[in-house]
Amino acid sequence: MNAINYIKLEFPSLSCNEAFARTAAAAFAAHLDPTLEELGDVKTAVSEAVTNCIVHAYPDAVGRIGLRLRILHDGQLEIAVRDWGCGIEDVEQAMKPLYTTGGDERGGMGFTIMESFMDRLRVRSRPGKGTTVVMLRTIRSRRKRA
Amino acid sequence: MNVNTAFSAGRLTLYLSGELDHHAAREAARTIDELLDEYLPRDCAVDMSGLSFMDSSGIAVLVRISRRLRDVGGRVWIENPSGQPRRVIDASGIDRLVPVAAGR
Ligand SMILES: Nc1ncnc2c1ncn2[C@@H]1O[C@H](COP(=O)(O)OP(=O)(O)OP(=O)(O)O)[C@@H](O)[C@H]1O
Ligand SMILES: [Mg+2]
């Protein structure tokens, strides 16, 4: 699929980069002239995916996180968040609401929130190799909507 | 992320402001734990009118407050959520555990 525009970022899995990642994603998505609500949805989904890399992929170390956003045809925004961390044994189980390996501090709602805020969510993971989360969201320009 | 408080008649109101993500949640949870220890409230209202962003890490903070209050037979509810935090509350279904107070 040909992208009209894209950005690629890479940053270490430090929690202070969560706010940076979602703000950068929102700034890029602004090209599509989204509503405030759509921008909030993009920020939320990026925050969830990036936090998962920091908390789960690299629990005891600082690793690399990749964030790629692409604008595809017809106002489709594609968000890809990638890590080279521990990976997920059973992706289907991990995506179920309330499923968590994070103990008391986590609720197991991250994937559920990503799913409800995006049009599509795809998770590819290999234990020991890493995880890639790809999300799609169509953003209709406010001008065209009017 | 900031937590301000008001206390009267056994009710502690926590006014959350700023952005409540994983980075902010650890400190917020510690601050709130200390406030609950200090005031020993019967009920706790979490006012979100100043909150501009929240994700699942904020949901976990709410679950934690609710657990602590339930242990002493108290109640917890959310007040004035709007915008993005409101959408996260709706998507997560946390309002079944910590209800959103009807607008006043
Ligand atoms: N990037 C990742 N690398 C390794 N494991 C992951 C990754 N993302 C998610 N997981 C696994 O999937 C589970 C579910 O993720 P999800 O985001 O839904 O919930 P959570 O992170 O545990 O809790 P919450 O997001 O509500 O704070 C995690 O507990 C973890 O076991
Ligand atoms: Mg998560």
Side-chain angles (χ1 to χ4, degrees):
Chain A
M1 220 179 304
N2 280 337
I4 296 162
N5 194 3
Y6 70 89
I7 56 164
K8 270 179 169 178
L9 296 170
E10 193 180 291
F11 48 88
S13 61
L14 303 172
S15 65
C16 61
N17 286 328
E18 292 157 6
F20 168 75
R22 64 177 177 265
T23 307
F28 179 75
H31 288 303
L32 288 166
D33 195 24
T35 62
L36 217 59
E37 186 174 289
E38 287 167 336
L39 271 186
D41 291 357
V42 167
K43 277 190 184 175
T44 313
V46 169
S47 201
E48 293 297 345
V50 168
T51 299
N52 277 352
C53 302
I54 294 169
V55 174
H56 304 295
Y58 306 111
D60 319 298
V62 175
R64 275 191 301 150
I65 299 175
L67 172 66
R68 187 189 67 195
L69 283 98
R70 298 199 290 177
I71 293 172
L72 308 176
H73 56 89
D74 292 341
Q76 262 204 79
L77 179 70
E78 183 201 67
I79 304 167
V81 177
R82 177 166 191 201
D83 67 66
W84 292 263
C86 68
I88 304 173
E89 285 291 341
D90 184 342
V91 169
E92 203 183 319
Q93 178 186 42
M95 291 175 75
K96 286 191 178 134
L98 302 177
Y99 177 85
T100 184
T101 56
D104 245 21
E105 278 180 33
R106 315 249 50 105
M109 290 309 296
F111 280 132
T112 305
I113 290 171
M114 288 180 244
E115 221 157 16
S116 81
F117 282 22
M118 297 286 113
D119 299 329
R120 271 190 64 195
L121 167 66
R122 218 175 53 231
V123 181
R124 266 199 328 254
S125 191
R126 279 174 64 198
K129 298 273 184 219
T131 302
T132 303
V133 171
V134 181
M135 301 179 273
L136 281 175
R137 173 71 190 261
T138 299
I139 290 176
R140 265 174 259 288
S141 160
R142 270 177 304 167
R143 264 167 313 201
K144 285 189 199 141
R145 241 187 315 243
Chain B
M1 174 74 217
N2 248 303
V3 186
N4 289 307
T5 55
F7 185 71
S8 87
R11 171 188 304 178
L12 180 67
T13 304
L14 300 169
Y15 295 91
L16 307 186
S17 58
E19 304 203 330
L20 181 50
D21 62 4
H22 160 251
H23 180 68
R26 185 156 288 169
E27 196 187 320
R30 195 175 47 230
T31 304
I32 290 168
D33 274 349
E34 285 167 10
L35 289 166
L36 294 176
D37 287 340
E38 182 183 340
Y39 289 99
L40 299 171
R42 195 181 56 242
D43 296 322
C44 182
V46 182
D47 187 295
M48 294 194 171
S49 50
L51 201 63
S52 53
F53 179 88
M54 175 176 90
D55 60 19
S56 64
S57 302
I59 301 295
V61 170
L62 289 169
V63 170
R64 186 188 179 91
I65 300 172
S66 123
R67 212 176 276 143
R68 286 211 44 181
L69 269 281
R70 214 177 33 218
D71 287 347
V72 296
R75 291 178 306 160
V76 189
W77 62 91
I78 299 165
E79 288 181 357
N80 304 313
S82 67
Q84 187 274 349
R86 171 88 229 197
R87 281 173 66 72
V88 170
I89 289 166
D90 293 343
S92 68
I94 183 66
D95 48 329
R96 272 170 285 166
L97 180 69
V98 183
V100 177
R104 286 173 303 170

